[in-house]
Amino acid sequence: MDLADAYRDVRAATEALCAPLSPEDCAVQSMQDASPVKWHLAHTSWFFETLVLEGLPGYAAFDPAFRVLFNSYYQSVGEQHPRPERGVLSRPSLDRVLAYRRHVDVAVLRLLDAGAPSTALDVVELGLHHEQQHQELVLTDLKHAFSRNPLRPAYRERAPEAPGRAQPARWIVFDAGLREIGHAGQGFSFDNERPRHRVFVEAFELASRPVTNAEYLDFVRDRGYARPELWLSDGYAACGSRGWRAPLYWEERDGAWSIFTLGGMAPLRPDEPVCHVSHYEADAFARWAGARLPTEAEWECAGEAAPLAGGFVESGRLHPAPSPACERAPSSLFGDVWEWTASAYAPYPGFRPLGGSLGEYNGKFMSGQLVLRGGSCATPRGHIRPSYRNFFPPDARWQFSGIRLARDRR
Amino acid sequence: MDLADAYRDVRAATEALCAPLSPEDCAVQSMQDASPVKWHLAHTSWFFETLVLEGLPGYAAFDPAFRVLFNSYYQSVGEQHPRPERGVLSRPSLDRVLAYRRHVDVAVLRLLDAGAPSTALDVVELGLHHEQQHQELVLTDLKHAFSRNPLRPAYRERAPEAPGRAQPARWIVFDAGLREIGHAGQGFSFDNERPRHRVFVEAFELASRPVTNAEYLDFVRDRGYARPELWLSDGYAACGSRGWRAPLYWEERDGAWSIFTLGGMAPLRPDEPVCHVSHYEADAFARWAGARLPTEAEWECAGEAAPLAGGFVESGRLHPAPSPACERAPSSLFGDVWEWTASAYAPYPGFRPLGGSLGEYNGKFMSGQLVLRGGSCATPRGHIRPSYRNFFPPDARWQFSGIRLARDRR
Amino acid sequence: MDLADAYRDVRAATEALCAPLSPEDCAVQSMQDASPVKWHLAHTSWFFETLVLEGLPGYAAFDPAFRVLFNSYYQSVGEQHPRPERGVLSRPSLDRVLAYRRHVDVAVLRLLDAGAPSTALDVVELGLHHEQQHQELVLTDLKHAFSRNPLRPAYRERAPEAPGRAQPARWIVFDAGLREIGHAGQGFSFDNERPRHRVFVEAFELASRPVTNAEYLDFVRDRGYARPELWLSDGYAACGSRGWRAPLYWEERDGAWSIFTLGGMAPLRPDEPVCHVSHYEADAFARWAGARLPTEAEWECAGEAAPLAGGFVESGRLHPAPSPACERAPSSLFGDVWEWTASAYAPYPGFRPLGGSLGEYNGKFMSGQLVLRGGSCATPRGHIRPSYRNFFPPDARWQFSGIRLARDRR
Amino acid sequence: MDLADAYRDVRAATEALCAPLSPEDCAVQSMQDASPVKWHLAHTSWFFETLVLEGLPGYAAFDPAFRVLFNSYYQSVGEQHPRPERGVLSRPSLDRVLAYRRHVDVAVLRLLDAGAPSTALDVVELGLHHEQQHQELVLTDLKHAFSRNPLRPAYRERAPEAPGRAQPARWIVFDAGLREIGHAGQGFSFDNERPRHRVFVEAFELASRPVTNAEYLDFVRDRGYARPELWLSDGYAACGSRGWRAPLYWEERDGAWSIFTLGGMAPLRPDEPVCHVSHYEADAFARWAGARLPTEAEWECAGEAAPLAGGFVESGRLHPAPSPACERAPSSLFGDVWEWTASAYAPYPGFRPLGGSLGEYNGKFMSGQLVLRGGSCATPRGHIRPSYRNFFPPDARWQFSGIRLARDRR
């Protein structure tokens, strides 16, 4: 697709996500890890303004104060408004932020139309993938905010129950061998997916589908959260200090479980993939099940062979759906739920961060986080690929994060 | 005034304060001590609904969820939405909260019209004084929120500089004697102002006006914040842990001071009373000045003899004005700035809290707080009286709190 | 008594308290509020060295590093080793600290022998009262440290059960009137007890003895800790955040209560005064009992009329004993347990702190604390008097703090 | 060596380390991560008692309370005395802990003499390696405690300056290839070193020696701690929140640097390896130097080819020494300083934790930590091997942790 068309599409998609929301909804920050929707709208524009437009002849900043206000974490750009205080910003208003978007759109499209140098085109393309990442965060951050409101508001009408039933999980066998992982092709990739490189992978088996709510509920009922031998030490400590007894958004009343969704409260459906679990919970569940989490190399070996199919944001469900029956390749590797891997987020051999401020995009976060793979029901379909590396700390639960089991070849 | 008329006036005054604000402005909570404007609008209605209307034949709650959502701290009513999470509530929307107000207004006015029992009338009257307290908090909480926004929004146009000049402070002498303090008359008072009772007051002197910015600036420039011998131990520790170097809302750039006001940033005016100081700062300033803070008994002796005149919210300035020259009585005892006293907030001899849930209104907070007297530029004129006891912890700075000096009779 | 004799006695008494302890026992700091015994031994010597000996011709400091190491909070003397890190100091060893004491003793006694100026004599006398305060802290801090050790060590053999039975409490009536409180006589007093001054006291009644364990247990069994209407707001919050369900050192097993004492674990004896309660608990108990805590003025009126008799440290029990039957005056006003008053610790009218560094002794702590009266089973008999004002924050529980009820005259 | 002889040697070595210390020195806990020396003495005995002796016919526990008191983190054994409260335990006394050691020694040696089953022998052997780990911790924890004491005590006399000079660093080249890492041989290894398995390692270069103080000082002087572009995001945040400006134990006065050592304060010697740096600092230094940290696979490839020579605890220096000139293999891979790798501490493919309680030894800590390799000047020589994996969180600085640079093959 033409870059200008892609630009228009991505920008419009972001705003479409905000259409059902009031200005007040767009202003809430419910925890330090989450940001207001309005902030996402502004920051994604800041990215283009600061990293593409700034310094171009004839470009005038929309508001010089925004340079600090909507800088997320770019130290090389300058100061940042403190992250925990993003929810304090009633001004600029939502209207003014939307006007900011228009201002930036005009300038970017004019630049594309005029024939920008390839370095600028590369940053515009990066900015679109960046904005798609924030589209997912708009949904997960909003879900968190709504979940903290006792009124339990719905972002949209509850999706009808997906028709399928989850099939019993099977183990798909992968042989040992020297493989290649990482991105190599023509299309876009982030710096953290490169370079493609060799890894030796021992023989392993991967579950045919993600863990379901029914399976996870068995773990809960088997006192999984009270058995330290199943947990990493840090994970068991987190259960204690935060009172975890089930995944985020699960609620029990009189023995019946329901969950909070972007369509409001809903009964727990046994066939859906479990989601909103931390890495600690995924790891403990796997140990309880006599299995383990896959490494990201294992996952990518499977992912390269699988069709890029699954439930994405375009479906409008905004909730994971039961996995279809799988043939040869594991099903639901893409979409529905991000899958925690056992791999720490670290540089690939030969990793080179982008130059300049963009070097801060990924590399400096390679500490204390774990890789997730495959995208979720809140991910745009065009955003994901087998080599895509998402990353969160092991205690993060507000993403659509689920569990795919693996085990050593028997 | 007729109670129904008073009700209409007070309720309208609250909403008039919110007129210049957007829904986003009304939703912000910038710290745990402060609440969103929207919350104030709802909670003051909750007060009437829960303590007057609930249980009346024919009254239907506007929304049963509001009973928890807008309960501030009444344990006898039931659960409360957690105070630090008031800013998370994008729903109910501002519009819906205003509809809630209408719903409650209709029912209260119908009750008054129908001839309510005197116990109900008493609670309605209390509810109006309660709402006036929240009117002041609307302004101080909003001022705090706006101050945390680097755009430094203005709530309204900056007031023109008040004309007067502060006169040099003089000491007004009060003789020793057995006095009475506390409320005794016909009009309304809170339970914490009662009963009127005898106290013996030694001879003392009270400053003719509050401390000015110019005087406080001398303290700052004399390294007041870096001299532990001037401070209570807890106060000096607070300076260290919070980085206090001047009152809240003061900013220095290149040696020039400006302050944040509800009209935006403004130059520091030397003749205005200093405000937004903690009790610790007031106490340290007094020690530096060779004086002390008055006790609340001393203050009330002076206040009973003084005219109830000063700058109140009705003036629209929303900022303290220079004190007029005083004749016999100290000037500016009322309005402009609350005056920290040296007295811990404690029950008067013979204190009896109101019955039922209203017993939680004042008595349970008689711990860890100090009394302030006289009202401020954000206080409704009809709300204040000589026996009025306001109270805040010694580190609170976001109220319009200033300093009146006292000393033992020489 | 001669000051040199008094000096020898007090110094010896401190060391006698440490006799049953190992060097390891003397080094432990079990919480920030408590200090190691060794630190008390050193700091009380630091007091004499720094405030009396330093600068005298011919006096050489024992170790210049001690000036910082054993400075408690005297900003005017200079830096202090951080309070929470007192337990890290394995060096100087206990032996060396005892040598430090000898070094200081020689110099002080030489000074007294040579005829010191009266200003120095005053500071020596103050230093002895200061050391007596630390004698009490040696016992309470050690009790806390031992209580945190699952072995529950005993400081000494458990005292035999005191013979008496607590009589039913009666109300002793005191008439209204203008009284005087504060210290006025010839003997020693702290600056915070002065000047003697007039107060008007309304008629009140005071309980004939402190609250017993049996009475407090009734409160516990009546769900006292789970009824917010009985508590100050801060107090109820403290119960929640700290898990308070009974006084400090109480333990329940299978419905039977025992308590930790300086003689190890012991069964709860119903007739003994309750102790190790916070001000919050004392206040809640009083409200439950339909009473209140006395003000310090009320207490002092009663204390001036009562014999200075009770259980003090010299008895060696180190635990409160049942109150004897009382005649006209309330019994057990002195000794056994400190009695929480309702009065914030504040300066008396006309209060003047001592000059120089000694001005930091009391005045700067007049914030956030409440007055206790009467001394405890860990107080030296000669240390207490009717005007004596002890003070602790409302959540402090590790002192021998108990409850005396009062009420308005009916 | 015979296991009984090894047992006697290791146990004696632990006690020899404590010989210069007083009971007070042995009781201090200076931070949550560190433990008192006395605790180490007891816990290492607890290991044998609980995991070898308990349940043997005729074995009587020395003191049943020790089962909880000296349990470090074995949830399957039962409760643990809280880690941050280890310093509160003045009892049992050091003497009693030494008697505990004797009691355990007699029983273990009797068991070995009687011919124990091989499963028990395996645990005894593990217990000796466990005890050697605690020998290192005795020194590093004590160093930390002494460093917090303003008297800066010395554990022993300062070692004479090591004679050598550090040679300029060179890059040693390693070719790409499929390698094996992990332990495979006959001797002892921990479960986390197994199984030996294949990894593909890209071509890389490794520095001929660890980074020196001189080199690190250049980084400090080049404003390394104030340049966010050099740091992982978490690392730069740690610099800010903890005020890091140099390695732990470095002190600057008037431009001259000195360091705290187990021999007291000493001038910074430029040729010694830098140590007491966190992973964050090691990583930032590497980036500043245009290099990176090695992965643990890279390190192990080099380590397998290098002689197991270096400065160990047996030398008595207790401080890293300048690296000798290297020939073909990198020098100082073993001893002197632990070398941070870029690898998260994670299970090897096919990892199986030991059975029973011993399964808690290593596996449950595979989260949030990074691998260090090679041992230090506080490590017993017989304890280390090429496959040895030590692990600490990225902000840990109190170990003898240093930096070995690597880079991609050019």
Side-chain angles (χ1 to χ4, degrees), chain C residues 2 11 34 187 235 264 293 300:
Chain C
D2 171 64
R11 298 285 283 176
L293 300 180
E300 191 164 331

Side-chain angles (χ1 to χ4, degrees), chain D residues 49-194:
Chain D
E49 181 174 68
T50 308
L51 301 171
V52 177
L53 301 174
E54 193 175 277
L56 285 189
Y59 180 75
F62 181 75
D63 184 330
F66 287 12
R67 202 173 190 273
V68 168
L69 220 46
F70 298 118
N71 181 359
S72 51
Y73 53 65
Y74 290 84
Q75 303 263 16
S76 57
V77 171
E79 280 189 59
Q80 301 119 48
H81 184 66
R83 182 180 185 106
E85 303 233 339
R86 290 176 183 166
V88 172
L89 304 176
S90 62
R91 318 279 179 94
S93 69
L94 178 58
D95 280 347
R96 189 158 158 81
V97 165
L98 293 172
Y100 178 38
R101 291 181 67 87
R102 290 295 78 73
H103 178 88
V104 168
D105 287 348
V106 166
V108 170
L109 290 169
R110 184 173 300 151
L111 176 72
L112 295 181
D113 189 50
S118 77
T119 52
L121 296 182
D122 286 350
V123 182
V124 171
E125 186 180 27
L126 177 62
L128 295 180
H129 290 272
H130 172 257
E131 183 142 350
Q132 287 182 311
Q133 293 180 311
H134 281 275
Q135 287 168 5
E136 178 148 4
L137 292 173
V138 162
L139 292 169
T140 54
D141 291 0
L142 187 81
K143 184 171 181 178
H144 187 267
F146 277 5
S147 79
R148 306 291 292 181
N149 187 330
L151 301 177
R152 298 292 153 74
Y155 168 70
R156 14 142 296 156
E157 266 187 71
R158 179 132 61 92
E161 185 162 1
R165 300 292 309 267
Q167 303 299 312
R170 293 187 296 111
W171 293 105
I172 316 284
V173 177
F174 291 81
D175 293 330
L178 193 62
R179 307 300 183 90
E180 289 197 344
I181 66 167
H183 194 265
Q186 293 287 319
F188 174 84
S189 65
F190 288 111
D191 57 2
N192 63 13
E193 302 169 56
R194 298 189 300 262

Side-chain angles (χ1 to χ4, degrees), chain A residues 3 12 28 62 79 86 94 113 116 128 131 136-137 140 173 216 233 249 259 354 357 361-362 369 399 402:
Chain A
L3 188 57
V28 171
F62 180 76
E79 279 188 60
R86 290 176 183 167
L94 178 57
D113 190 50
L128 294 180
E131 182 142 350
E136 179 149 3
L137 293 173
T140 54
V173 177
Y216 200 87
S233 182
Y249 303 143
I259 58 175
L354 297 176
S357 291
Y361 198 110
N362 276 311
Q369 313 213 47
Q399 298 301 304

Side-chain angles (χ1 to χ4, degrees), chain A residues 195-319:
Chain A
R196 192 161 174 89
H197 62 283
R198 289 166 287 184
V199 292
F200 187 85
V201 178
E202 300 282 357
F204 70 100
E205 302 179 358
L206 200 67
S208 56
R209 56 155 177 76
V211 171
T212 63
N213 283 331
E215 290 161 344
Y216 200 87
L217 189 55
D218 285 343
F219 168 73
V220 172
R221 289 180 171 152
D222 197 29
R223 299 180 48 259
Y225 282 82
R227 293 167 54 186
E229 71 274 17
L230 299 174
W231 293 78
L232 289 167
S233 182
D234 288 349
Y236 197 66
C239 290
S241 62
R242 307 186 196 186
W244 290 350
R245 296 288 174 270
L248 184 63
Y249 303 143
W250 283 37
E251 297 182 24
E252 187 186 23
R253 193 159 299 172
D254 304 326
W257 289 90
S258 46
I259 58 175
F260 180 69
T261 75
L262 281 166
M265 291 305 298
L268 184 76
R269 292 170 179 159
D271 287 296
E272 289 173 359
V274 67
C275 70
H276 298 300
V277 293
S278 65
H279 179 266
Y280 294 135
E281 289 162 297
D283 174 84
F285 176 88
R287 197 168 288 108
W288 174 81
R292 59 170 173 81
L293 300 179
T295 65
E296 63 170 328
E298 290 169 343
W299 195 99
E300 190 164 331
C301 291
E304 287 202 340
L308 214 152
F312 295 103
V313 71
E314 289 82 358
S315 78
R317 275 185 58 79
L318 307 181
H319 195 70

